[in-house]
Amino acid sequence: RQPANAAFASTYAFGLFQNGDVPAALKVMSGLSPAQLREPSVAAYHGMILAAAGRRSEAAAFLDEARKARLLPEEERLVSAARTIISPPKPYQGYRGGT
């Protein structure tokens, strides 16, 4: 009913994301202004959705902005999981065991 309300839109988009509909979640978030998307709590949800969509560099910027948000522990865990998704893989260091 209020697609321009960032709190409502991000909550709705997160629900779509949780149900596996990442494209629909992205579409809802695209209705928000750049300033709204940069609000730390909204940025947290947008970053999670972007990470799930494989848009790593975009997700990273929003997840960085989310560091300013006061999130619930459950939200912190979701943001942490999204950061893990977008982290580049660590290079293989080879076996370093003894003989």
Side-chain angles (χ1 to χ4, degrees):
R1 291 186 172 186
Q2 296 184 30
N5 181 311
F8 293 170
S10 61
T11 301
Y12 178 58
F14 183 69
L16 292 168
F17 162 75
Q18 287 288 87
N19 286 323
D21 196 349
V22 174
L26 286 170
K27 184 175 180 177
V28 170
M29 295 302 278
S30 73
L32 298 176
S33 72
Q36 288 174 307
L37 291 172
R38 294 277 177 210
E39 292 173 19
S41 59
V42 175
Y45 287 103
H46 193 48
M48 285 185 254
I49 294 166
L50 288 168
R55 294 166 57 178
R56 288 180 169 186
S57 61
E58 291 173 86
F62 288 100
L63 293 173
D64 285 345
E65 192 67 30
R67 293 181 196 274
K68 300 174 189 172
R70 298 183 82 192
L71 301 174
L72 297 170
E74 297 84 0
E75 293 170 315
E76 286 286 352
R77 284 191 290 277
L78 291 168
V79 168
S80 178
R83 284 188 183 110
T84 300
I85 290 170
I86 66 168
S87 296
K90 296 190 183 340
Y92 177 67
Q93 298 295 319
Y95 178 71
R96 296 179 188 249
T99 53

